[in-house]
Amino acid sequence: MKMKTIKILAAIVTHNRKDLLARCIDHINNQSRMPDSIVVIDNGSTDDTQATLEERGVRSIKQDNLGSAGGWKRCIQVALDEDFDAVWLMDDDGFPDVDALRILEENLSPGISAVSSVVLNENDNNKFVFPFPVLDKNKSPVLFSFKRKIRKLDKLKKISNRNSFPFAHFFNGALIPISSIDSIGAINDMYFIAGEEVDYFNRLSSIGEVRSILSAFHYHPDVSKRSWSKLKFYYFIKNTIILNRKQYRFFLVRDISTIVIALSRIASRNGLSSFFSYLIGKDCRIFYNAIYRGLLGKIGKDFNG
């Protein structure tokens, strides 16, 4: 049984990406099922973001840069305060397919705590920007397997026995009913800029199914070459270690995998000089503090550069 037509808030978090934000808004305004309202949470932008929003007549809330987690938390609070039935969350650099919201709404049903679009490379619409994990019988990402990632939409369709898959990459077109938010609460903004999406996915999974709908598309730039800031590197390691120990089995192996992934991405995206700087050079304190504080479970904004 499908849910009745509901009141939906489209909410975007942005920081200094006015041109990509404008593209996202234009695609939201072209939906076959229009959202009932749009709000942009401006996380301390210093470019012409506010002028771009004024040109398009889009409501915005400007706040200090509270990280992605603080942005998502504010999105959800707006939806709660204004009595929406669901909130459609997305970052500023991607954009939804014309039928994305209509398809997502059609797939909300009892037992589903959230649905999300699949995130496709804007230049290759069969390739995932964020590969899907192969899942074990408990619907957790497999750890001990030669094949751990699904990178193409057609491959995922072949192994899925439905038009959906029980995993999602938040927040790129995730549609979350307010009833689910009432059950689990808002985003934990203590994660700041990494890990909050994994935490929220797992919390939503504890009260129902979270599914990516394979016919709902969200297009996104390729991020595989996007460099990482020191802030991103630090919080990715620290917060992922915290989440590994909180939510998964074999957490020690996952911790090692997290560290290897972080260093590999730094080497490929920032260069070998950055890799060695974090490992044995002037930035090594950032690297080892991230591991140490992650092992201690020190969640919170504590990066000191």
Side-chain angles (χ1 to χ4, degrees), residues 6-12 28 33-41 59 61 72 74-90 101 174-176 178:
I6 57 178
K7 183 181 174 187
I8 298 173
L9 173 68
I12 311 167
I28 290 175
R33 191 290 194 206
M34 285 289 292
D36 297 278
S37 185
I38 303 172
V39 66
V40 173
I41 306 302
R59 177 171 57 134
I61 297 172
W72 303 125
R74 189 67 179 270
C75 290
I76 287 173
Q77 192 58 54
V78 173
L80 290 168
D81 290 344
E82 299 181 6
D83 295 321
F84 284 90
D85 298 306
V87 59
W88 190 31
L89 297 165
M90 65 195 75
L101 183 55
L175 181 63
I176 306 175
I178 296 302

Side-chain angles (χ1 to χ4, degrees), residues 15-261:
H15 175 72
N16 284 347
R17 290 198 285 215
K18 65 183 181 66
D19 293 334
L20 290 172
L21 172 64
R23 180 179 70 167
C24 180
I25 291 169
D26 290 346
H27 281 82
I28 290 175
N29 281 327
N30 195 39
Q31 289 293 294
S32 59
R33 191 290 194 206
M34 285 289 292
D36 297 278
S37 185
I38 303 172
V39 66
V40 173
I41 306 302
D42 182 353
N43 248 354
S45 293
T46 56
D47 61 3
D48 292 329
T49 288
Q50 285 298 308
T52 299
L53 293 169
E54 288 171 9
E55 287 171 4
R56 284 168 168 73
V58 175
R59 177 171 57 134
S60 69
I61 297 172
K62 188 158 187 176
Q63 63 182 21
D64 292 338
N65 189 356
L66 303 178
S68 54
W72 303 125
K73 185 175 183 178
R74 189 67 179 270
C75 290
I76 287 173
Q77 192 58 54
V78 173
L80 290 168
D81 290 344
E82 299 181 6
D83 295 321
F84 284 90
D85 298 306
V87 59
W88 190 31
L89 297 165
M90 65 195 75
D91 213 341
D92 53 5
D93 52 349
F95 62 94
D97 181 73
V98 64
D99 292 318
L101 183 55
R102 176 184 62 79
I103 292 169
L104 291 173
E105 183 182 16
E106 290 173 352
N107 281 274
L108 283 178
S109 59
I112 300 291
S113 60
V115 290
S116 184
S117 296
V118 292
V119 189
L120 301 175
N121 187 314
E122 62 185 45
N123 296 316
D124 181 349
N125 295 166
N126 189 44
K127 184 178 180 181
F128 295 128
V129 173
F130 309 109
F132 279 79
V134 175
L135 302 178
D136 63 21
K137 62 181 180 181
N138 298 314
K139 296 183 180 178
S140 294
V142 299
L143 188 58
F144 305 107
S145 174
F146 178 74
K147 183 174 178 58
R148 299 178 59 240
K149 298 290 184 180
I150 305 161
R151 303 182 185 277
K152 298 290 183 72
L153 177 60
D154 56 0
K155 297 272 182 69
L156 186 59
K157 285 182 175 179
K158 286 180 182 178
I159 68 170
S160 178
N161 58 5
R162 299 168 59 175
N163 180 39
S164 63
F165 189 73
F167 188 89
H169 290 288
F170 288 174
F171 295 100
N172 292 279
L175 181 63
I176 306 175
I178 296 302
S179 58
S180 296
I181 295 168
D182 287 339
S183 295
I184 66 166
I187 300 292
N188 186 343
D189 57 358
M190 296 289 282
Y191 286 104
F192 191 49
I193 63 167
E196 79 281 357
E197 72 285 2
V198 176
D199 175 69
Y200 212 59
F201 168 80
N202 284 317
R203 286 161 60 196
L204 283 165
S205 297
S206 71
I207 61 165
E209 282 196 291
V210 179
R211 304 197 73 90
S212 287
I213 308 304
L214 305 189
S215 56
F217 307 137
H218 196 84
Y219 303 109
H220 197 284
D222 182 7
V223 299
S224 63
K225 302 300 181 184
R226 188 179 286 178
S227 63
W228 272 17
S229 66
K230 293 178 181 180
L231 207 67
K232 176 74 171 179
F233 179 77
Y234 174 81
Y235 283 110
F236 173 82
I237 293 174
K238 188 189 80 162
N239 290 348
T240 305
I241 289 174
I242 291 170
L243 288 165
N244 287 343
R245 292 166 175 269
K246 182 179 179 182
Q247 297 172 335
Y248 297 116
R249 299 169 59 210
F250 307 114
F251 55 79
L252 181 59
V253 178
R254 292 185 187 275
D255 290 347
I256 295 170
S257 176
T258 295
I259 293 166
V260 171
I261 289 170

